[in-house]
Amino acid sequence: MTALDSVSANTHLQRSAEDLLENLAHPVLLVGEDGKVEYANIAGQACLGGWILGLCFQDLFPDHLETLSISTLAREPFVLVSRTHIRFRALIGSVTRGAVLLSLFPDTSQAPALSSEGDELTGLLKRRDMNDRLDQVLSANSNSVAVHCLDLDRFKVVNDTLGHGVGDLLLRKVADRLRTACRKEDHIARVGGDEFIVVQTSVADAKDAERLASRLVDLIGRTYVLSGHTVNIGVSIGVALGEGCVVGRDLLRNGDLALYEAKRAGRGRFRVFEPGMDAALRERRELEIELRRALALKQFEVHYQPFVDLSSDRVIGFEALVRWNHPTRGRISPADFIPLAEETGLINKIGEWVLRTACTTAAGWADDLTVAVNISPVQFKADTLVDSIVSALGQAGLPPHRLEIEITESALLDNTDSVLRTLHALRNLGVQISMDDFGTGYSSLSYLQKFPFHKIKIDRSFVQSAEAGSDSEAILRAIAGLGVSLGMAITAEGVETIEQLERIRSEHCTYVQGYFTGRPVPADRINSFLSP
């Protein structure tokens, strides 16, 4: 058997194993060492509420928060009650990387003994009681019922920075605001650490449910003052209408799917369930499987887009851009697969591969050319980023000053101190640091005070709409002047016409990048691109 035949056979076996897991009638989960779900087959997603990849094991089985953790699971079969109120007999088996493979089988031998008392912290209903109330109102008149699934935004930040005492106060205040917004006949439950469910009754129509959801988003998003601290959070809500539904579990699943869409849309908003959300979830699940396969089969490529020094009109480096050439779907846009890679954690492996590939490629260029690599906010949360960059540079033999790391403002929003330590460590190595998409965030200027970036990249939206006398032109001029004052280079990206190039030149920007000065090209075409 040739090496190619061996690879083909292994690929076939891998796909067969994936197909087998996907078609099993019972749920199968792969839970990582950090306690988060890395894989769930179709049955697992259906039984546990839809899109669950990346969720914590304890979020899926909240009634066992106080007794179970992935690191201490027993080898013998044990019973779990899921957040979707299904009782399972669980079997586990160890796999690599400290992860746990979990097989779940419905268990009807005994009803779980759950307290009918209210939630100790907020006084709201518990999950089991809410489920009973939901079944009751659905059996009476399902067309007048709506379920609102709520998930607080940025609650973890409050807990981590101000402590659990303030976090508990915040949950009580949220519960009070929920009571204020709802009617007496509605039912409100706390079903997880920062998860709530509202069963709205006497719903006249869809607009009635939307009005309540909008009111909840506004009310919960207002400022809190707790123990002398000013606290701001938000809430994402998924709404599902009864409309003939007679099974509470199905309605809750629809609400969870709508909640997932609300989070994907940017959080701090609500979404109403639509039948197409099921299809969209399946499509994303299929794309995720193919994304994992693409990583294993090396279907990714790196293309390189030049940036030009306006003082000399000479190419001084290239930005590395990942491309996915799917064997049947063709070219898949990074806008479609990068967010999914970030949600599933695959961006860490993909990002490291791009980094190593870009460094190796750049090592073969002229000594004065640099390579810029985008680093995802997810990668910044990993403790291994600096080590990965040092390893990539060493393996390629590329001097640190020829590598430029590009980050967006979103990388700085969480764990700012930790991110700044990482940036300073990279700067001390000699790596160049650039802020990408400058001007699109709400606190970009404050970050320029916290860290001395080498370069600022002006977002393409300002470049492409910077007509004479426009607001964008004024912003463009202000950012260019800011860069000169702070001693930072300014790159204008997205330049597509000669008029845009001349306007950028007149504003005294340092570098320019865009289709007009050079489209992304594969590595093997760079030499011909640079040749006169």
Side-chain angles (χ1 to χ4, degrees):
M1 177 182 290
T2 66
L4 184 60
D5 291 334
S6 178
V7 170
S8 178
N10 289 336
T11 301
H12 178 73
L13 288 174
Q14 180 183 358
R15 292 183 178 179
S16 298
E18 290 175 354
D19 292 340
L20 177 62
L21 288 176
E22 286 298 299
N23 292 308
L24 288 176
H26 65 273
V28 176
L29 309 181
L30 181 65
V31 183
E33 191 173 12
D34 59 357
K36 293 183 178 180
V37 177
E38 295 184 356
Y39 169 81
N41 65 353
I42 294 174
Q45 294 188 69
C47 291
L48 296 173
W51 186 262
I52 62 174
L53 296 179
L55 295 184
C56 290
F57 172 80
Q58 293 175 332
D59 290 335
L60 299 178
F61 302 97
D63 292 315
H64 296 271
L65 273 172
E66 70 284 358
T67 58
L68 289 181
S69 67
I70 288 300
S71 61
T72 59
L73 287 177
R75 287 287 172 198
E76 296 77 15
F78 56 95
V79 172
L80 293 170
V81 179
S82 75
R83 68 176 186 175
T84 51
H85 330 297
I86 303 177
R87 183 181 173 92
F88 292 104
R89 181 169 56 88
L91 301 176
I92 66 172
S94 294
V95 294
T96 58
R97 299 181 291 107
V100 173
L101 191 66
L102 196 65
S103 294
L104 304 175
F105 301 90
D107 180 66
T108 57
S109 60
Q110 181 182 355
L114 298 176
S115 171
S116 61
E117 298 177 0
D119 175 61
E120 294 83 356
L121 182 63
T122 63
L124 300 177
L125 294 173
K126 287 186 175 180
R127 181 183 295 274
R128 181 62 182 271
D129 294 325
M130 179 277 302
N131 191 45
D132 292 340
R133 303 280 181 92
L134 177 58
D135 287 338
Q136 290 171 11
V137 296
L138 284 175
S139 63
N141 184 359
S142 62
N143 290 323
S144 65
V145 178
V147 161
H148 302 253
C149 297
L150 292 75
D151 196 354
L152 301 184
D153 303 326
R154 301 186 299 279
F155 175 75
K156 185 178 184 300
V157 176
V158 175
N159 249 359
D160 292 346
T161 57
L162 300 180
H164 292 281
V166 174
D168 288 348
L169 287 175
L170 177 57
L171 291 173
R172 292 192 185 102
K173 288 295 184 181
V174 169
D176 290 342
R177 293 188 183 186
L178 288 173
R179 293 187 184 98
T180 300
C182 297
R183 295 170 294 192
K184 289 184 178 180
E185 60 267 30
D186 296 333
H187 308 289
I188 312 170
R190 179 180 174 227
V191 296
D194 61 348
E195 299 175 7
F196 299 83
I197 288 177
V198 173
V199 177
Q200 182 184 6
T201 60
S202 304
V203 178
D205 52 28
K207 293 295 183 183
D208 195 9
E210 291 176 10
R211 280 191 291 270
L212 175 58
S214 179
R215 188 159 64 250
L216 293 176
V217 169
D218 172 64
L219 195 58
I220 294 176
R222 295 180 185 178
T223 300
Y224 301 78
V225 179
L226 306 168
S227 298
H229 300 283
T230 300
V231 175
N232 289 285
I233 61 169
V235 65
S236 300
I237 303 178
V239 182
L241 302 173
E243 296 179 338
C245 181
V246 295
V247 180
R249 186 177 64 201
D250 293 342
L251 196 58
L252 289 170
R253 178 177 180 274
N254 292 347
D256 273 339
L257 286 171
L259 173 60
Y260 173 73
E261 291 298 323
K263 291 179 178 179
R264 275 216 312 138
R267 299 178 181 269
R269 64 199 67 205
F270 72 89
R271 287 288 183 269
V272 179
F273 173 77
E274 299 174 359
M277 289 180 180
D278 274 324
L281 181 63
R282 286 193 296 271
E283 171 65 20
R284 288 182 67 80
R285 175 64 184 134
E286 291 174 3
L287 188 61
E288 185 209 338
I289 292 173
E290 293 180 351
L291 191 60
R292 293 180 184 276
R293 186 174 294 144
L295 187 60
L297 299 181
K298 299 182 168 73
Q299 293 176 354
F300 295 109
E301 297 178 1
V302 178
H303 286 199
Y304 299 86
Q305 185 173 30
F307 39 92
V308 175
D309 187 338
L310 287 173
S311 65
S312 62
D313 288 333
R314 188 177 67 87
V315 173
I316 53 111
F318 294 83
E319 179 181 359
L321 302 168
V322 65
R323 295 291 184 261
W324 181 10
N325 289 316
H326 192 277
T328 57
R329 296 183 184 218
R331 179 68 59 82
I332 298 179
S333 170
D336 292 330
F337 72 83
I338 291 296
L340 180 58
E342 291 179 329
E343 289 177 17
T344 58
L346 290 173
I347 193 65
N348 288 312
K349 292 182 179 179
I350 295 173
E352 182 170 356
W353 176 83
V354 171
L355 173 67
R356 291 183 179 278
T357 301
C359 287
T360 300
T361 301
W365 301 342
D367 291 343
D368 58 345
L369 291 177
T370 62
V371 63
V373 179
N374 293 279
I375 300 295
S376 163
V378 177
Q379 291 174 266
F380 263 94
K381 293 180 181 179
D383 296 332
T384 58
L385 178 61
V386 175
D387 290 339
S388 295
I389 291 175
V390 170
S391 174
L393 290 170
Q395 186 179 47
L398 185 72
H401 72 272
R402 292 183 58 197
L403 173 64
E404 178 181 312
I405 295 298
E406 294 188 3
I407 67 168
T408 60
E409 183 180 321
S410 56
L412 297 164
L413 292 179
D414 295 329
N415 301 317
T416 303
D417 291 340
S418 174
V419 171
L420 289 176
R421 283 195 298 270
T422 299
L423 291 175
H424 279 292
L426 293 175
R427 188 182 178 97
N428 292 338
L429 286 173
V431 174
Q432 306 289 302
I433 310 292
S434 171
M435 178 183 274
D436 199 6
D437 299 336
F438 184 83
T440 58
Y442 67 87
S443 55
S444 298
L445 290 175
S446 68
Y447 292 129
L448 295 185
Q449 290 181 310
K450 295 178 181 178
F451 183 79
F453 290 90
H454 293 94
K455 182 189 294 185
I456 301 171
K457 297 189 72 174
I458 303 176
D459 184 69
R460 65 181 62 246
S461 61
F462 298 117
V463 173
Q464 295 178 352
S465 60
E467 300 175 356
S470 67
D471 291 341
S472 292
E473 184 186 43
I475 293 173
L476 184 64
R477 182 176 299 118
I479 296 175
L482 181 67
V484 172
S485 301
L486 295 177
M488 299 179 185
I490 301 293
T491 297
E493 56 181 348
V495 175
E496 297 181 354
T497 66
I498 183 63
E499 291 80 14
Q500 291 172 356
L501 176 62
E502 293 307 317
R503 186 168 290 115
I504 292 301
R505 195 187 297 276
S506 68
E507 299 300 342
H508 306 293
C509 291
T510 318
Y511 309 118
V512 68
Q513 181 179 349
Y515 282 1
F516 185 77
T517 53
R519 291 175 176 267
V521 295
D524 58 6
R525 288 176 51 192
I526 289 179
N527 288 335
S528 60
F529 175 84
L530 293 173
S531 299

